[in-house]
Amino acid sequence: MIHVFNGCSEVCSLPAKACKACERCCESCGCCEECEKCLTQCGSCVEQPLGSYVVVGMLVSLTELVVCILAFQEDFSQCQLPEGFAQKVGMRGWLKVQMGFAWLNFIFPPYLQHELLRKLGQRAGARAEISQEEVKESFHEVFLEDIGVCFYVFAWVASFAWSIVGVYWLHHTNCDPGGWTTAAAFVGFSFFWGLIFYSVLWYGYLSCVSSMPVQWAIRLQEATRHGSSGPSKGSRPQAAV
């Protein structure tokens, strides 16, 4: 499990490496400092806990938004939906709601990462150590007690159900002339199952390394103690055994 995550971390760290390369390019060409700060923040976000989820989740959600916009441009005049709720909403109405769910999926990953870092910062205080057990407990607190996470869980399940509704409606003739509507539903399905898969792997990873020091836990100490004095010279944050 650990080797799997180490391999995934290398892949997911590519955006951070790209950001740092761009930052070095800005330094060499004398670009503005604001651009350098933006690139530095980009790399820092990816290297922090849940960085891979933030990057992949936002990219998938952005893809879904683009696909929904393309589908919205199609001609649904020949679409024949069942009478009742389907006809009242229509395929354009379905796409509007799907875009709303995609936007929610886009903004939630950075929100979750921010709340996790805030919780870990509270636990760390002025200490020079953060154990993996504390990281695991912080995840539990955020997932079980944060109102925003609770709201998102229900919205996340609702987005999956809404994608099922769209697939059912697409079985009718002339309701997907360009194929973009089907793609929007497929991306919605992919995000739902992908998040489940990521959550299982991530929780399993935390369980496997609950008593082991890992590199991102050391970087986390620096991220959660802005403005605090660093550890004494020669000391190094270690995970509790």
Side-chain angles (χ1 to χ4, degrees):
M1 180 71 73
I2 296 175
H3 296 295
V4 172
F5 264 90
N6 287 337
C8 293
S9 63
E10 289 298 322
V11 176
C12 295
S13 65
L14 291 178
K17 294 179 180 178
C19 289
K20 291 181 179 180
C22 292
E23 182 180 358
R24 290 192 295 268
C25 180
C26 288
E27 293 177 354
S28 62
C29 68
C31 297
C32 63
E33 295 182 358
E34 295 299 325
C35 178
E36 296 177 3
K37 291 179 180 179
C38 179
L39 292 172
T40 302
Q41 292 176 356
C42 173
S44 175
C45 175
V46 176
E47 293 178 352
Q48 290 172 357
L50 293 178
S52 57
Y53 167 59
V54 173
V55 173
V56 177
M58 294 182 71
L59 287 177
V60 173
S61 301
L62 183 62
T63 301
E64 186 176 3
L65 281 169
V66 173
V67 171
C68 286
I69 293 174
L70 294 174
F72 202 79
Q73 309 301 320
E74 295 181 345
D75 182 15
F76 296 105
S77 59
Q78 303 299 322
C79 181
Q80 299 177 355
L81 294 173
E83 295 182 359
F85 177 74
Q87 286 189 354
K88 290 180 180 179
V89 176
M91 291 310 302
R92 293 187 184 277
W94 180 86
L95 285 170
K96 291 178 181 179
V97 177
Q98 190 77 350
M99 290 174 65
F101 283 129
W103 174 250
L104 184 62
N105 293 333
F106 180 81
I107 63 176
F108 179 74
Y111 168 81
L112 179 60
Q113 186 186 56
H114 174 269
E115 290 300 309
L116 175 62
L117 291 175
R118 184 177 63 83
K119 180 66 66 175
L120 288 171
Q122 293 174 354
R123 282 181 172 270
R127 293 179 298 147
E129 294 182 352
I130 298 179
S131 69
Q132 285 287 21
E133 186 63 28
E134 289 178 303
V135 174
K136 192 174 181 180
E137 292 175 359
S138 298
F139 269 105
H140 289 166
E141 291 181 16
V142 172
F143 287 140
L144 298 178
E145 300 177 8
D146 188 82
I147 300 299
V149 174
C150 180
F151 168 78
Y152 177 76
V153 169
F154 287 101
W156 173 61
V157 175
S159 69
F160 176 70
W162 191 248
S163 296
I164 294 177
V165 171
V167 171
Y168 173 75
W169 289 354
L170 288 173
H171 282 302
H172 298 79
T173 59
N174 301 320
C175 289
D176 188 20
W180 291 112
T181 308
T182 300
F186 175 77
V187 176
F189 277 124
S190 300
F191 187 90
F192 178 85
W193 292 112
L195 183 53
I196 292 179
F197 179 73
Y198 180 90
S199 300
V200 171
L201 286 181
W202 178 249
Y203 190 84
Y205 172 76
L206 281 182
S207 299
C208 289
V209 300
S210 59
S211 61
M212 296 172 56
V214 291
Q215 188 62 32
W216 73 259
I218 297 173
R219 291 197 301 266
L220 170 63
Q221 177 62 27
E222 300 176 357
T224 55
R225 296 177 61 226
H226 292 298
S228 301
S229 59
S232 59
K233 185 176 180 181
S235 64
R236 178 182 179 185
Q238 296 291 329
V241 179

